[in-house]
Amino acid sequence: MTEPRRYFVRTFGCQMNEHDSERIAGLLEADGLEAAGSAEDADVVVLNTCCIRENADNKLYGTLGHLKSLKDRRPGLQIMVGGCLAQKDRDAIVERAGHVDVVFGTHNVHRAVELLHEASETGRSVVEILEETVAEDHETFPSALPVRREVPWAGWVTIQIGCDNSCAFCIVPAVRGKEISRPLADVVREVEAAAADGVTEVTLLGQNVNSYGRDLALAARQAGEDVRVQPMFAELLRAVGAVAGIRRVRYTSPHPKDLRAETIAAMAETPEVCEHLHLPLQSGSDRVLAEMHRGYTAERYLERLAAARAAIPDLAVTTDIIVGFPGETDDDFERTLEVAAEAAYDSAYTFIYSPRPGTEAAERTEDFVAPEVVAERFERLRIVVERSGLAKHEARVGRVEEVLVEGPSRKAPAVLTGRTRQNKLVHFAAVQPIKAGSYATVRVTSAAPHHLRGELVEVTVPAAHRTRLPLLVG
């Protein structure tokens, strides 16, 4: 009997890419392939790429260099490159790395297996990049494809693709296209199917989830329906929270300018929606925010943050901040430090500005901030963010927290890890094995800037997931 072919998917980048990778894996398994533990053991290697930061290019081509030596030893190995960098670089990938068999972009993930077969049949590299997703073609949404989840108790659910914003630093609109929302009923059906599989936590994905449904309402209005053109995200949160079996609902990423009162109310009034808000600041300087085209001021940002905290008890808040945006002055950066201190974040993803070709900010080369200045600012920001993060964590010492058990710690297998509703990582010991995907209560005993430590109180809900064939929705 012939051994089945095996595949390996390596993901670079954000949660959207991780979800796309789960769908690519699902497509390959539906085609008869089995998962391999590494590229060395695979017959098909898929690199799902990101292009948000400059080193993304180096990561891809460095990995392709390693795979070339592997393919020289095993000529039958097939290499596929997909994702945002593939959407941007297109034929240039094959020109730089002729051993790549397939290049596909962000709008044709559903074609991955067909393109792989085409490359096998023709013996030539295949490059297929679509310019945009057709809104009516629901098969092109990642969540409409078969899935092989990375973990069986938690699932990504795409509610929206693309982005209609024009942030000066961001290449996402160029590689993901215009904003398109999935019908609300389609999203709810997928969550119901996931819950039937034992998934208890879902994360709703979109480039700007707060504007979800505005395009659907506009289309309905243009079709003659008497509807208000406004986002439907609050309605979606309530609908997903009402799905039987779902205990936790998360979402990412929102845009501060679109954080509406009804979304805050839905978070506060829907018990399944977790008390965690990721609200990207990017800069605390109004001048820089205007040049970034963010659509809000620091004062407006802090007002919306205060409204969310007032309505949602025990809300954890995280953010994104860019250091060294072109033209950022010492005064601009001081404003960022002030806002970060006032916001008192639980944690922050801080980034050194990275110019991406094709974005407005990348053209401002004469305004680039000197690397040594950026490094000094970055360190000062880290101190401010970690100070508030540690204070938030120390305030939780002595509390009993519900955690979703993720499994053994990578560094200490005898220690288990879990996530609280506020998305805080907790390390704790347990005298008996606890199946990943279970819910437990843990008493917090100590705190660090990026995690908590605790002791098990009890397992409250044993894991309910089961292994099934790849899920096909819609």
Side-chain angles (χ1 to χ4, degrees):
M1 185 175 177
T2 305
E3 286 286 322
R5 298 217 305 158
R6 306 179 76 194
Y7 73 90
F8 179 77
V9 180
R10 180 176 177 186
T11 308
F12 304 85
C14 67
Q15 296 98 327
M16 192 72 76
N17 274 20
E18 290 181 26
H19 184 41
D20 286 350
S21 290
E22 290 184 338
R23 301 298 170 170
I24 293 167
L27 288 167
L28 293 171
E29 292 198 359
D31 197 50
L33 280 74
E34 295 182 354
S38 67
E40 286 71 17
D41 298 326
D43 302 290
V44 176
V45 174
V46 184
L47 305 180
N48 191 15
T49 63
C50 171
C51 64
I52 296 299
R53 284 176 287 280
E54 191 171 15
N55 65 354
D57 305 60
N58 300 331
K59 284 184 178 179
L60 170 63
Y61 292 107
T63 303
L64 287 176
H66 167 72
L67 291 177
K68 184 179 187 308
S69 62
L70 187 61
K71 190 163 184 172
D72 288 342
R73 298 195 305 271
R74 294 169 46 212
L77 174 67
Q78 290 184 286
I79 300 170
M80 307 179 72
V81 178
C84 294
L85 192 57
Q87 185 75 26
K88 179 177 77 74
D89 283 3
R90 307 182 178 217
D91 296 276
I93 292 175
V94 172
E95 291 169 6
R96 288 185 60 175
H99 54 291
V100 171
D101 297 278
V102 176
V103 176
F104 61 101
T106 57
H107 303 299
N108 60 338
V109 170
H110 61 294
R111 290 261 299 151
V113 168
E114 295 170 64
L115 298 175
L116 184 67
H117 289 321
E118 183 179 338
S120 297
E121 292 164 3
T122 64
R124 300 191 305 269
S125 297
V126 175
V127 178
E128 181 181 281
I129 304 294
L130 304 184
E131 295 302 326
E132 63 180 0
T133 297
V134 179
E136 292 75 20
D137 187 357
H138 294 176
E139 288 187 3
T140 62
F141 275 95
S143 289
L145 304 174
V147 62
R148 183 187 186 275
R149 294 190 185 90
E150 192 67 26
V151 295
W153 61 86
W156 310 107
V157 178
T158 298
I159 67 170
Q160 170 198 72
I161 58 176
C163 182
D164 288 344
N165 293 310
S166 56
C167 299
F169 55 82
C170 187
I171 198 169
V172 166
V175 295
R176 289 280 180 180
K178 66 181 181 180
E179 211 167 272
I180 303 175
S181 303
R182 289 177 73 194
L184 190 147
D186 287 2
V187 176
V188 172
R189 274 196 296 270
E190 181 182 353
V191 174
E192 289 172 340
D197 264 359
V199 168
T200 61
E201 178 182 284
V202 293
T203 301
L204 308 179
L205 292 179
Q207 301 298 339
N208 179 16
V209 292
N210 291 49
S211 65
Y212 165 80
R214 184 185 285 127
D215 56 321
L216 299 176
L218 178 60
R221 181 71 172 267
Q222 292 172 339
E225 296 183 35
D226 184 19
V227 297
R228 291 180 61 191
V229 178
Q230 63 182 19
M232 301 162 57
F233 187 58
E235 180 183 352
L236 179 67
L237 284 178
R238 296 178 189 274
V240 171
V243 172
I246 295 300
R247 294 177 59 88
R248 290 183 176 183
V249 178
R250 303 186 186 278
Y251 65 86
T252 193
S253 290
H255 195 297
K257 71 178 177 61
D258 294 319
L259 181 59
R260 299 164 64 95
E262 54 263 38
T263 295
I264 294 173
M267 291 183 67
E269 296 165 8
T270 307
E272 294 77 14
V273 178
C274 291
E275 297 85 358
H276 173 221
L277 175 64
H278 185 74
L279 197 64
L281 172 66
Q282 306 302 2
S283 174
S285 162
D286 289 349
R287 189 188 69 83
V288 173
L289 287 170
E291 293 191 351
M292 287 178 167
H293 309 315
R294 291 292 289 170
Y296 54 86
T297 62
E299 181 181 11
R300 185 63 175 144
Y301 176 95
L302 290 170
E303 287 174 354
R304 295 191 177 189
L305 178 56
R309 281 179 165 151
I312 306 166
D314 202 19
L315 179 69
V317 181
T318 56
T319 196
D320 298 332
I321 301 175
I322 295 173
V323 178
F325 183 80
E328 181 187 71
T329 65
D330 288 341
D331 183 68
D332 291 326
F333 181 67
E334 289 298 330
R335 301 288 80 74
T336 296
L337 290 180
E338 290 172 3
V339 175
E342 183 172 348
Y345 296 113
D346 291 72
S347 67
Y349 298 94
T350 53
F351 305 97
I352 290 174
Y353 171 73
S354 175
R356 305 311 295 136
T359 61
E360 178 183 329
E363 303 300 318
R364 298 176 53 186
T365 54
E366 71 282 358
D367 293 328
F368 284 3
V369 183
E372 62 273 16
V373 174
V374 174
E376 186 266 344
R377 291 176 183 172
F378 191 83
E379 177 62 16
R380 291 173 64 195
L381 178 61
R382 182 192 65 80
I383 292 170
V384 170
V385 169
E386 289 196 353
R387 182 188 301 134
S388 66
L390 180 58
K392 293 283 187 180
H393 283 185
E394 287 176 337
R396 307 190 84 84
V397 173
R399 293 179 51 165
V400 174
E401 304 267 6
E402 179 195 72
V403 301
L404 173 54
V405 180
E406 296 182 343
S409 167
R410 293 178 183 176
K411 295 182 179 179
V415 174
L416 294 177
T417 65
R419 295 269 175 186
T420 70
R421 289 178 58 88
Q422 290 78 15
N423 205 34
K424 296 183 181 297
L425 183 65
V426 183
H427 300 294
F428 62 98
V431 293
Q432 78 269 16
I434 302 176
K435 186 178 179 182
S438 300
Y439 288 83
T441 50
V442 173
R443 180 173 289 103
V444 179
T445 57
S446 63
H450 302 291
H451 67 270
L452 301 168
R453 288 179 290 271
E455 54 190 21
L456 176 69
V457 176
E458 64 176 332
V459 176
T460 55
V461 181
H465 59 267
R466 57 187 183 273
T467 303
R468 293 181 60 179
L469 293 175
L471 172 69
L472 183 62
V473 177

